[in-house]
Amino acid sequence: MVQSRLSAKSILNMKKWTYITDNKMRRNLGVTDYEKKEVRINKKAHKNKTKLGGPEKDKTLINTIVHERLHVNHPKMYERTVRKEARRTVIVTGK
């Protein structure tokens, strides 16, 4: 299982990235661009979740932020594993 806690290495890695709110993205809650070192989050889509497919628990803003952070820290991790780890991390930190 992947360690989801913030380590010093992952914090330094996150500081090199730019985080942007992009409400014009279509069909995405968040996107990680490895070439530009950008993470884009669509806050507007989180308010209007009914148009998006997928489980309701994956549509929260905190889940999207954790999900994209996992992509930054683990770029080769499979999408299914990223989703599972993001859910687990949100549940554990939410208690």
Side-chain angles (χ1 to χ4, degrees):
M1 203 176 282
V2 176
Q3 185 179 5
S4 295
R5 294 183 188 156
L6 285 173
S7 65
K9 183 179 178 183
S10 67
I11 291 172
L12 289 173
N13 188 23
M14 289 169 55
K15 288 182 179 182
K16 296 175 186 174
W17 287 68
T18 305
Y19 294 85
I20 300 168
T21 301
D22 183 359
N23 293 329
K24 294 181 181 180
M25 287 191 305
R26 294 184 179 252
R27 299 181 59 203
N28 286 321
L29 296 173
V31 174
T32 303
D33 186 338
Y34 294 102
E35 290 178 9
K36 295 180 182 178
K37 291 200 176 243
E38 289 180 347
V39 174
R40 295 182 174 277
I41 304 289
N42 187 344
K43 285 174 57 178
K44 187 176 180 181
H46 286 88
K47 293 178 184 176
N48 200 7
K49 297 183 253 187
T50 55
K51 294 181 180 178
L52 299 166
E56 199 64 31
K57 59 189 166 193
D58 290 343
K59 297 179 188 173
T60 63
L61 183 60
I62 189 68
N63 182 282
T64 303
I65 293 168
V66 170
H67 178 101
E68 297 306 326
R69 185 191 62 135
L70 283 168
H71 277 305
V72 168
N73 291 331
H74 306 282
K76 294 184 179 181
M77 186 184 287
Y78 292 113
E79 183 67 22
R80 186 175 183 180
T81 309
V82 170
R83 285 188 188 136
K84 191 185 293 186
E85 282 298 313
R87 283 185 213 135
R88 190 182 67 76
T89 302
V90 170
I91 290 169
V92 168
T93 56
K95 289 184 179 182

